[in-house]
Structures are given as C-alpha cells and as structure tokens.
Amino acid sequence: MAQQIALLVNPAAGRGRSAVVGARLLSALRGRGADVSVHIGRSPADTVRLARDVVAEGPDALAVVGGDGLVHGALQAVVGTDVPLGIVPAGTGNDIARAFAVPRSVPEAAEAILNGRTTDADTVAAGGRYYLSVLACGFDSRVNERVNGFRFGLGRMNYLIGLAAELSSFSPLPFTVEVDGERLEAEGMLVAVGNTSSYGGGMRVCPGAVADDGLLEVVFVHAVPRASFLRFFPHVFDGSHTGLDEVTVLRGRTVAISAPDRAARPVVGYADGERLAELPITCEVVPRSVRVLT
C-alpha cells in the first residue's frame, strides 16, 4: 500500500521559494510511489484547522514546506499524536529546521519523509499553544513586531534592520521571571526561553538549549545602556553572550514571565517567530511530545 503523505505548503514563504520547493517535492514523492495530498491555508488560523483535519485522517506523515511560522501551525495538530512531522525549510529564518538538521535538498527531503526515521522532541506549552524553538519577550519581541510588518523577507537582514529601528526607542522593562520556583526580579532588555538554540535566522540566543532533555534554557539580559547593548548584540550570533556579566542563564521545566510596561504598551511574547500572547506567560516543557522526521 502506498504511503499517505500530506503536504502543507505556504506558497508565499521565502519570497515564493516555498511554492517551487513544494512542487518539486510533490513530484519527487509521487515519483517514489507515495500517495500525496497538498494543503494550503488561507491564514495562520486556517493552516492550523487544515493541519488538524489532515492529522485526524491518520497519514503516514505531515510534511511542512515553508518557514518556522508554518511549522508552528502544523505543530498544533501533531503534538501528542503518532503522526510524524516532516520539515522542509523554504522560509526566511528556518531556525526549527536548523535545530533538527533536516535535509535541505528536495531528493534528500523526500527520502527522509518516506524512510520514516524520527526523533522524539520536546515541545513547550505556552499561551494556549505549543512551540518548538524560542519564546522571546522584550526587546527581541519588539523587533519581531517590526519585522513581521516588513513587506519583504530578507532573512537575518530583516532582524538587523528591525533591531536598529527599535533600539532608538526601547527602554528596559521590570521583569519578573520564575524558573521552577526560583525568582528573578530585575530591569531587563529581554528574556528568551529556548527549547532549541536559535531564532531570527540563526541567532543562537539560547545556545545550551537541547530539544529532548526535558528542560528549557532561560536567558535574561539585564538592563544596559543602548550603546552597550548594541556592542553586546553581535555575541548572540555565536552564543558567546551567555558568558557576559550582563546575562543570567537559568534552566528548568516551568518558566513564568511577567513585565508590566510603564508606558502601558503591552509586552508580547513571540514563539517560533509567531505572535503568541501578551505577558504574563507561563512556559512548560512537554517532554518528547512530537515526532520529527530526520
């Protein structure tokens, strides 16, 4: 019997690259005898609905062709099920694909999907959803708000442009962070809660995060002058920032974050590059709750 593969595609991801990759993957899978259905959501909410409908039919795999946002949508459907998640990177950031070292070429991706080898990964329950990579609160989520409003996707360059724009107006926030009951109250620039290590197209904000160890890595950047923060930020690209005096790193299973903004501007948490919820937010690791095709 032919393998039943569901393809979830965002044709607009990666400035149209996803549509090309999806068509090539469809041809490769069918050429190897798979029974493939293609699904395209009209919006993030519609994508989640489609993914849940597809998973309910019990395919051999749900393969996602797009960026981290599309993976995030599919994740809401596959967590806690036996349907494995295939990730075919075709977006701008592709941090989730990077974390799991999934194949980037179409022939290798087709082989991985059909071979069915999986790794069991943790997910994180937060804000009524699940995420796989990093939750960002504070400066980085403000940058995310800016970047998501850009008309053109330029990968890491978008984040650098958004960073420069936000830096001119950002003020430190009065964070309260509790990690397994350990409480930290301090003025800070950002809090990142990582299940995997990177966001923003390869910035290793939580370099010690491992997707299957049952723990979250929490990186807290204390308040610093803007000029110092600008000098600090390049360290995020190689993960060396965690050794700086301005950074506190904690690890645990449950992380609660709150930060009332003095300017009455909501502080928003972003996860997998998607707008999740306003603070306060509680993140709780869900051990080995998704099967990822590798």
Side-chain angles (χ1 to χ4, degrees):
M1 183 178 176
Q3 290 191 56
Q4 307 291 313
I5 307 297
L7 281 189
L8 189 62
V9 183
N10 176 7
R15 289 174 286 176
R17 180 172 176 267
S18 181
V20 175
V21 173
R24 293 177 58 202
L25 182 62
L26 175 64
S27 178
L29 289 170
R30 285 179 173 169
R32 296 185 58 174
D35 184 357
V36 187
S37 59
V38 180
H39 309 271
I40 300 173
R42 296 184 298 272
S43 66
D46 191 48
T47 294
V48 173
R49 179 194 62 78
L50 271 176
R52 285 175 171 153
D53 288 347
V54 167
V55 168
E57 296 173 0
D60 293 299
L62 173 62
V64 175
V65 184
D68 292 340
L70 194 64
V71 177
H72 181 81
L75 186 68
Q76 312 313 309
V78 297
V79 167
T81 75
D82 290 329
V83 176
L85 178 66
I87 302 170
V88 184
T92 53
N94 301 316
D95 289 289
I96 296 174
R98 185 178 295 108
F100 291 97
V102 299
R104 288 185 171 269
S105 76
V106 169
E108 289 177 330
E111 181 179 355
I113 291 166
L114 295 176
N115 281 346
R117 288 191 295 269
T118 64
T119 182
D120 291 337
D122 303 337
T123 61
V124 187
R129 282 188 267 167
Y130 299 94
Y131 72 88
L132 258 176
S133 61
V134 179
L135 176 98
C137 302
F139 180 82
D140 42 5
S141 64
R142 292 273 171 82
V143 172
N144 232 321
E145 297 248 89
R146 288 182 181 269
V147 169
N148 285 352
F150 290 175
R151 293 181 61 187
F152 302 102
L154 300 174
R156 179 183 289 184
M157 184 58 66
N158 274 9
Y159 282 84
L160 296 178
I161 295 169
L163 184 154
E166 183 61 33
L167 191 63
S168 65
S169 60
F170 185 82
S171 297
L173 296 165
F175 282 107
T176 299
V177 182
E178 290 191 24
V179 182
D180 290 351
E182 181 180 352
R183 189 180 183 92
L184 170 64
E185 291 186 79
E187 296 273 319
M189 306 297 284
L190 64 87
V191 181
V193 183
N195 183 49
T196 59
S197 63
S198 70
Y199 65 2
M203 292 188 286
R204 302 186 67 243
V205 66
C206 297
V210 180
D212 62 357
D213 65 353
L215 294 171
L216 302 172
E217 179 167 87
V218 183
V219 174
F220 182 85
V221 180
H222 293 265
V224 294
R226 291 172 186 169
S228 298
F229 189 59
L230 192 58
R231 292 194 299 271
F232 157 93
F233 211 82
H235 290 277
V236 178
F237 291 105
D238 64 8
S240 61
H241 61 291
T242 56
L244 301 177
D245 292 340
E246 299 90 344
V247 177
T248 296
V249 179
L250 302 168
R251 293 174 66 79
R253 299 178 182 276
T254 303
V255 181
I257 309 167
S258 61
D261 192 330
R262 298 185 183 93
R265 181 182 175 189
V267 182
V268 178
Y270 270 72
D272 298 338
E274 297 294 297
R275 199 178 201 273
L276 192 67
E278 295 179 6
L279 269 58
I281 291 177
T282 297
C283 306
E284 186 170 0
V285 69
V286 186
R288 299 180 179 268
S289 51
V290 64
R291 300 170 60 207
V292 179
L293 288 160
T294 58

